[in-house]
């Protein structure tokens, strides 16, 4: 476990991940944000920088690949594309029918706080 940014981060078990999705996160946007990090190996900063157009096409369909724009990549050299796996796609489908995440512009994850 990390203490004051030193040490090794704890790796969550499948059971702990399931508990987070089923009981830990109350709001759907928190579940989706964690799912983006989990299924794409993105850090939180990249996940919250996603825009709706990075996930959905103009017709509102979920893209085959998630786009992480070059200004949010480590070297800022090229846009990074990551395949959207079926498990992550299910979370994006839930958000399409939810009103908690806007359909256009920056996704409403900037207001998240870490405790």
């Amino acid at each position: 476990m990390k203490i004051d940014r030193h040490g090794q981060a704890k790796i969550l078990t499948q059971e702990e991940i399931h508990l987070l999705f089923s009981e830990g996160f109350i709001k759907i946007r928190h579940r989706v944000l964690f799912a983006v990090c989990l299924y794409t190996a993105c850090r939180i900063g990249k996940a919250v920088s996603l825009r709706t157009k990075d996930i959905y096409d103009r017709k509102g369909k979920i893209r085959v690949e998630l786009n992480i724009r070059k200004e949010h990549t480590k070297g800022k050299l090229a846009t990074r594309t990551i395949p959207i796996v079926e498990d992550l796609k299910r979370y994006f489908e839930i958000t399409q029918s939810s009103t908690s995440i806007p359909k256009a512009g920056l996704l409403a994850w900037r207001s998240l706080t870490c405790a």
Side-chain angles (χ1 to χ4, degrees):
M1 174 176 270
K2 284 191 169 190
I3 299 172
D4 294 326
R5 298 181 158 235
H6 298 331
Q8 187 170 356
K10 181 183 184 323
I11 297 172
L12 299 175
T13 65
Q14 289 293 332
E15 211 172 275
E16 291 168 326
I17 291 170
H18 176 72
L19 277 172
L20 279 172
F21 279 116
S22 61
E23 299 174 22
F25 299 118
I26 298 168
K27 295 184 179 184
I28 186 64
R29 68 182 183 169
H30 297 169
R31 287 186 190 129
V32 173
L33 182 59
F34 184 74
V36 168
C37 293
L38 178 67
Y39 293 116
T40 66
C42 285
R43 292 184 181 196
I44 195 76
K46 287 185 178 97
V48 298
S49 73
L50 291 172
R51 295 184 182 267
T52 304
K53 67 181 180 179
D54 298 328
I55 301 167
Y56 304 100
D57 65 16
R58 289 182 182 182
K59 295 180 181 178
K61 299 208 183 235
I62 298 168
R63 296 181 183 276
V64 176
E65 294 176 326
L66 185 69
N67 295 314
I68 298 178
R69 286 164 282 110
K70 68 179 180 180
E71 60 266 18
H72 297 288
T73 61
K74 189 173 184 178
K76 298 182 182 353
L77 299 175
T79 297
R80 185 173 159 216
T81 56
I82 302 169
I84 296 177
V85 296
E86 285 301 313
D87 290 336
L88 179 56
K89 187 176 180 179
R90 279 192 290 250
Y91 286 98
F92 290 146
E93 289 169 347
I94 292 168
T95 62
Q96 281 182 311
S97 60
S98 171
T99 58
S100 65
I101 296 180
K103 299 291 184 219
L106 189 64
L107 292 176
W109 294 336
R110 294 259 185 226
S111 61
L112 293 177
T113 57
C114 298

